[in-house]
Amino acid sequence: MPSKDRLRAYRERRDFDTTSEPEGSDPAEHKDEPIFVIQKHAARTTHYDFRIEVDGVLKSWAVPKGPSTAPRDRRLAIPTEDHPLDYAHFEGVVPPDEYGAGPVIVWDTGTYRNIKEHGEPGGMSQALASGHVEIWLEGKKLRGGYALIRTGKDRRERERWLLVKMKDEAADPARDPVADEPQSVLSGKTVEDVAEKEGTGEKSGEQSSDKERG
Ligand code: MN
């Protein structure tokens, strides 16, 4: 697919006159290690958007329960549209009536490497196509191997994947970072802080309280 087209779904769903989300530079390779980002997003339901840089865009999955550090946990991950690389820095409130309305924070970010194909060119695209990705994360909250495994499709024909912590020295069943480490690694804010600061829904009597919207 021509690289520009990969962000079409992302752009079509958003009104950039309304939302402060980045319109996105066109897909571009950079020479550094590829990045990952996990954004906590208190939309209609709170979820964690797990994104990894592949071929100049952020491949993305919505993980309702967020990532775990315990290998026994299998966390549902539903693919969403590719996002532009500059989305990795986005924190703020997606306005009411926009796609994904609600506050977003950068819950974790860092670099990753492909441990399945040992970083061979094309390895990540192949791994995604085959439905079995194994990556080593070097984040602020999360470290170590994580597998993303495609398991099939749901009744709406959406692909279902699982995000699973691999067994390695960074696995830690005693941790619960989703519950215990809710702050942004960029700003220290929680989604509640961000929602409050930007005053989501303050002008509309029909908005439910921010805390209930997730
Ligand atoms: Mn989201």
Side-chain angles (χ1 to χ4, degrees), residues 35 37 51-53 57-60 82-85 87-88:
I35 61 158
V37 62
R51 313 187 196 279
I52 56 176
E53 176 186 354
V57 296
L58 295 172
K59 304 300 291 185
S60 299
D82 294 349
H83 277 50
L85 279 186
Y87 206 90

Side-chain angles (χ1 to χ4, degrees), residues 41 43 47 49 51 62:
H41 184 185
H47 58 273
D49 288 300
R51 313 187 196 279

Side-chain angles (χ1 to χ4, degrees), residues 41-47 93-98 100-103 192 195 199-202 206-214:
H41 184 185
R44 195 169 47 210
T45 57
T46 294
H47 58 273
V93 177
V94 179
D97 302 327
E98 279 288 314
E192 290 82 6
T200 312
E202 67 183 0
E206 288 179 3
Q207 292 291 330
S208 54
S209 85
D210 295 328
K211 280 177 184 136
E212 295 306 316
R213 295 180 73 223

Side-chain angles (χ1 to χ4, degrees), residues 35-169:
I35 61 158
F36 81 93
V37 62
I38 301 170
Q39 281 158 316
K40 184 177 180 181
H41 184 185
R44 195 169 47 210
T45 57
T46 294
H47 58 273
Y48 293 76
D49 288 300
F50 187 93
R51 313 187 196 279
I52 56 176
E53 176 186 354
V54 180
D55 297 336
V57 296
L58 295 172
K59 304 300 291 185
S60 299
W61 292 259
V63 183
K65 290 187 176 174
S68 174
T69 51
R72 64 168 180 266
D73 290 336
R74 298 148 63 87
R75 295 284 160 91
L76 176 65
I78 299 165
T80 59
E81 76 275 20
D82 294 349
H83 277 50
L85 279 186
D86 39 6
Y87 206 90
H89 312 291
F90 176 72
E91 289 196 348
V93 177
V94 179
D97 302 327
E98 279 288 314
Y99 176 72
V104 175
I105 60 163
V106 175
W107 185 80
D108 197 17
T109 191
T111 59
Y112 80 89
R113 58 179 202 276
N114 180 4
I115 52 177
K116 185 158 174 262
E117 301 289 343
H118 304 289
E120 287 170 31
M124 281 301 291
S125 322
Q126 276 178 21
L128 286 165
S130 74
H132 193 136
V133 170
E134 292 179 4
I135 52 179
W136 184 278
L137 304 183
E138 288 289 350
K140 293 188 166 72
K141 293 175 183 167
L142 301 186
R143 265 193 79 242
Y146 277 81
L148 276 157
I149 301 151
R150 186 171 57 216
T151 58
K153 291 184 178 176
D154 67 12
R155 273 183 272 166
R156 289 161 59 191
E157 286 296 296
R158 295 181 305 180
E159 284 186 8
R160 294 171 69 97
W161 294 57
L162 294 172
L163 175 66
V164 185
K165 178 74 196 77
M166 295 168 72
K167 291 177 183 168
D168 54 40
E169 76 272 15

